Amino acid sequence: MADLVWKGGGRAGRSTRALRGRTSAVLVALIALAVLLVPPLAPLDQQAVDLSMKLEPPSWAHPFGTDDVGRDLLLRCVYGLRVSLLVGLVAALVATVIGTAVGAAAGALGGWTDRLVMRAVDTLSSVPHLLLGVFIVALFRPGVWPVLVSVALTHWLSTARIVRAEVLSLRSRPFVDAAISGGASRLRVTVRHLVPAVLPQAGLAAVLMIPHAMWHESALSFLGLGLPAHQASLGNLVQTARGSLLAGHWWPTLFPGLFLVVPTLAVAGLAGAWRDRLNPRRRSEPTL
């Protein structure tokens, strides 16, 4: 039998977690600076074409090379990341608000209301997110806002489950019994006591939802249902680079992919540090 290993035990575990958290924070800071400072300093003409610079490999003039119509790939990746982050942040915020409201209402009311709401959540969860997102986006013209609405309306279900579970756990706590004994209504107990208590968990769910929403937006753009083809989007960049990859040009596919993977890992690292702070007992959980 394998020896029992305690996660995060000892000084080595703590230093590893701290290093991971600091690295993730630095990456997130660099990403934020890039999307905030690069567009004002280097405006991008979405329609610009320079066929004389078509598919140039990475160089000092173009660190990420150029795409199939001669546009600088570094600038387009930064602009694409800007769109993905906008969709991810706003969609995660909207989805968290919806999920928190639905989950808190279901957990606080209980009874047939809880059963009805959770059966509706289970029914929506049975439909793949991407398929439901495609249906929503198809109702509108291509653009950022249809994608944002699609992602927000398909990602609140997990938050609703998390918040409901937390509310059901909190309902049996002494401070809730004391509030009810003092004459507080169910609505007041929910708004003043239960919802504030679940906000840290809801916030963690929102942070973890950001990279998921970014990948969802990129998938819709890759399928041609997101932003118009000429606008910079990580999904559009990967989609247009498929032919170049088959021809042996690797950079138009590699760098947009990295701009998706690196932010995902950075946000996941920060979320892990946040989760450890919310539940310190996880640091000493035994694993085989």
Side-chain angles (χ1 to χ4, degrees):
M1 172 181 274
D3 293 336
L4 191 64
V5 178
W6 294 86
K7 289 196 302 184
R11 184 176 301 174
R14 289 192 297 271
S15 62
T16 300
R17 287 197 306 272
L19 177 61
R20 185 169 62 242
R22 287 194 294 267
T23 303
S24 300
V26 170
L27 287 175
V28 170
L30 291 176
I31 292 167
L33 287 175
V35 298
L36 290 175
L37 297 181
V38 170
L41 296 177
L44 176 66
D45 183 0
Q46 303 279 5
Q47 303 283 3
V49 172
D50 185 3
L51 295 179
S52 64
M53 297 295 294
K54 175 182 177 180
L55 291 175
E56 290 288 326
S59 62
W60 287 110
H62 302 284
F64 287 5
T66 60
D67 63 7
D68 56 346
V69 292
R71 295 171 296 195
D72 184 80
L73 199 56
L74 174 57
L75 272 181
R76 291 186 66 77
C77 284
V78 172
Y79 273 78
L81 179 60
R82 190 186 190 192
V83 172
S84 295
L85 281 177
L86 170 66
V87 173
L89 289 170
V90 178
L93 178 61
V94 174
T96 301
V97 172
I98 296 174
T100 301
V102 172
L109 295 176
W112 66 267
T113 303
D114 182 27
R115 292 192 294 271
L116 180 63
V117 170
M118 296 316 297
R119 293 300 76 77
V121 170
D122 292 339
T123 301
L124 291 174
S125 297
S126 65
V127 182
H129 284 178
L130 185 58
L131 181 61
L132 187 59
V134 167
F135 173 76
I136 296 174
V137 169
L139 300 176
F140 305 93
R141 297 180 62 182
V144 174
W145 291 107
V147 175
L148 196 153
V149 171
S150 168
V151 175
L153 293 182
T154 56
H155 285 71
W156 59 270
L157 304 171
S158 59
T159 303
R161 285 200 179 97
I162 294 172
V163 171
R164 171 185 175 269
E166 288 293 321
V167 168
L168 290 177
S169 174
L170 291 169
R171 282 174 54 182
S172 60
R173 299 289 180 88
F175 72 89
V176 174
D177 293 336
I180 294 175
S181 300
S185 65
R186 183 175 297 182
L187 177 61
R188 182 177 178 84
V189 170
T190 302
V191 174
R192 294 292 300 273
H193 300 285
L194 297 180
V195 171
V198 302
L199 284 182
Q201 294 291 343
L204 176 59
V207 172
L208 289 172
M209 200 183 304
I210 292 173
H212 191 184
M214 291 173 58
W215 283 87
H216 197 116
E217 178 273 327
S218 298
L220 290 174
S221 296
F222 181 84
L223 294 173
L225 298 170
L227 272 67
H230 69 277
Q231 291 190 4
S233 165
L234 296 179
N236 282 342
L237 293 176
V238 175
Q239 197 277 337
T240 56
R242 291 184 301 167
S244 302
L245 182 63
L246 294 176
H249 305 295
W250 49 268
W251 56 92
T253 303
L254 174 64
F255 292 115
L258 289 177
F259 268 63
L260 273 174
V261 173
V262 172
T264 299
L265 296 177
V267 173
L270 285 182
W274 188 350
R275 185 174 55 219
D276 288 340
R277 286 182 177 274
L278 288 179
N279 187 8
R281 294 180 61 182
R282 289 188 72 257
R283 302 177 184 177
S284 58
E285 288 178 354
T287 59
L288 295 177

